[in-house]
Amino acid sequence: MATSFTNFVVLLAFATFSSNVVFGSLLVKYYVHISNDFSNGNQLTIHCKSRDDDLGWHVLQVSEEWSWTFRENIYGTTLFWCNLIGENHSASVKVFYMYDTEFLKMCNYLECFWSVRDDGIYLKNDWTASWSLWYDWEH
């Protein structure tokens, strides 16, 4: 009888901890910012989506930024990608993904800042305030 009770208590504690971890992370809001930092005055056209959400098309002039917020999906697999199109450039890039610790650390586990430039797409390291080339242009 004591063993059954102990097993029940352990199972109840694990279930409580697991639900707090899962549902607690579902309450966190994540942010993605994309800025047009082309030097030549070109527009940047953006189309972003996830498996569940299509965020539509957006056109940014130089120095403009577009951003959105979201919560993690229940499976912990949230992924957003964007098609980025400039006058002489295009690329399809992942702008938020939960499964990469290095990426999440760059975003301070909360907010990702992207800078679209002539020579590629940069991600800001929120810890050091420095920018790293994360993607090259495909075309």
Side-chain angles (χ1 to χ4, degrees):
M1 181 75 170
T3 303
S4 295
F5 180 73
T6 303
N7 289 344
F8 173 75
V9 170
V10 168
L11 182 61
L12 182 62
F14 178 74
T16 301
F17 173 76
S18 297
S19 67
N20 286 340
V21 169
V22 170
F23 293 116
S25 66
L26 292 177
L27 299 177
V28 174
K29 258 190 186 177
Y30 297 94
Y31 301 82
V32 173
H33 305 265
I34 301 174
S35 61
N36 177 353
D37 294 317
F38 283 137
S39 66
N40 54 12
N42 287 337
Q43 291 181 334
L44 173 65
T45 302
I46 304 170
H47 184 213
C48 298
K49 55 182 158 178
S50 71
R51 193 174 83 192
D52 301 320
D53 299 299
D54 186 333
L55 303 178
W57 291 89
H58 302 271
V59 177
L60 302 180
Q61 303 303 318
V62 171
S63 299
E64 287 184 335
E65 176 186 286
W66 177 65
S67 62
W68 72 95
T69 63
F70 57 93
R71 288 181 168 64
E72 178 182 359
N73 67 30
I74 196 163
Y75 307 108
T77 58
T78 301
L79 164 66
F80 276 95
W81 67 93
C82 298
N83 293 316
L84 305 172
I85 304 165
E87 184 174 305
N88 299 313
H89 308 294
S90 67
S92 181
V93 300
K94 296 179 204 172
V95 294
F96 188 89
Y97 38 105
M98 291 297 298
Y99 51 83
D100 185 326
T101 307
E102 178 187 358
F103 169 78
L104 288 174
K105 185 177 179 184
M106 292 281 288
C107 297
N108 197 15
Y109 303 94
L110 187 64
E111 191 163 19
C112 300
F113 291 90
W114 293 95
S115 173
V116 179
R117 303 178 185 179
D118 300 330
D119 62 338
I121 299 107
Y122 288 75
L123 177 62
K124 183 179 181 183
N125 182 328
D126 211 36
W127 296 91
T128 64
S130 62
W131 293 89
S132 298
L133 178 63
W134 207 257
Y135 294 107
D136 291 318
W137 289 108
E138 295 168 5
H139 306 235

